[in-house]
Amino acid sequence: EIVLTQSPGTLSLSPGERATLSCRASQSVTSTYLGWFQQKSGQAPRLLIFGATNRATGIPDRFSGSGSGTDFTLTISRLEPEDFAVYYCQHYGGPLITFGQGTRLEIK
Amino acid sequence: QVQLQQSGSGLVKPSQTLSLTCVISGDSVSSNTAAWNWIRQSPWRGLEWLGRTYYRSKWFNDYAVSVKSRIIVNPDTSKNRFSLQLNSVTPEDTAVYYCARVVDYEANGYYYPHIDHWGQGTLVTVSS
């Protein structure tokens, strides 16, 4: 089973700043199987990025994904007030789906 | 567009059976390019995949090892929905349960399976 470890656990930033969130896999993974989700309180997760680098439909271009092998990154170039939420990376293992423990992005 | 609408009991007694249903609109449970999943979320276990059903000329099911002995995910083609049954529940099964679609997306010779739609979530509490 692939274990995903996200860092940092909490990130405190101000609107307009750049956010960099990390996801490390316990072993090398196929990058086309790596995704990122945003979750706000009381809501289901929302797909941001699939295949490590591809923005989902309707996702603003301030969100970008990168990485390969065991190290992946979600970058939010300029934070908007609505971006403060919890972010999860996720791996599709066909069939097993695993998630990281999440990074909470909070307003500084 | 695809929508997943969940229903089912929010309170289950220990040792009894948790039952949830997910109605699909905008796609078919018999789709050859999707799989229909159940995922739960709790503070102690985070987001945890439970199982799936999908159709590829015949029906298939897969389940997480942690619940394999007590879970059933069934398709219902007549009502275009799928269900979750989790037997012998304990308080540790208390969680928000989600149904979700995984789509088989191919582009430029590469395969990009990903969760693209979720149900609204159902809080299930296991308590006497």
Side-chain angles (χ1 to χ4, degrees), chain B residues 4-78:
Chain B
L4 305 177
Q5 182 67 40
Q6 298 177 217
S7 62
S9 176
L11 180 62
V12 185
K13 290 182 166 50
S15 80
Q16 294 193 343
T17 297
L18 180 161
S19 296
L20 298 173
T21 299
C22 183
V23 176
I24 303 162
S25 57
D27 197 354
S28 170
V29 71
S30 303
S31 168
N32 277 299
T33 57
W36 306 97
N37 295 259
W38 288 97
I39 294 166
R40 67 183 179 184
Q41 185 174 29
S42 63
W44 47 91
R45 297 177 75 100
L47 285 158
E48 180 187 15
W49 176 80
L50 299 175
R52 69 175 183 175
T53 189
Y54 63 102
Y55 185 79
R56 300 290 187 271
S57 302
K58 68 176 184 176
W59 288 102
F60 295 88
N61 292 96
D62 296 293
Y63 300 123
V65 170
S66 61
V67 295
K68 192 169 187 176
S69 64
R70 54 192 187 99
I71 186 175
I72 299 173
V73 177
N74 268 336
D76 180 348
T77 57
S78 66

Side-chain angles (χ1 to χ4, degrees), chain A residues 32-33 39 45 88 92 95 97, chain B residues 41 49 52 98 111 113 118-119:
Chain A
T32 60
Y33 292 8
Q39 188 176 33
Y88 296 95
Y92 175 82
I97 295 171
Chain B
Q41 185 174 29
W49 176 80
R52 69 175 183 175
Y98 294 100
Y111 176 57
W118 298 70

Side-chain angles (χ1 to χ4, degrees), chain A residues 56-96:
Chain A
T57 303
I59 301 303
D61 61 7
R62 65 179 181 272
F63 291 91
S64 63
S66 62
S68 63
T70 60
D71 292 304
F72 297 87
T73 300
L74 174 70
T75 301
I76 311 172
S77 59
R78 292 172 309 278
L79 285 166
E80 297 287 342
E82 62 267 27
D83 298 336
F84 292 92
V86 181
Y87 291 83
Y88 296 95
C89 59
Q90 168 261 321
H91 175 257
Y92 175 82
L96 180 59

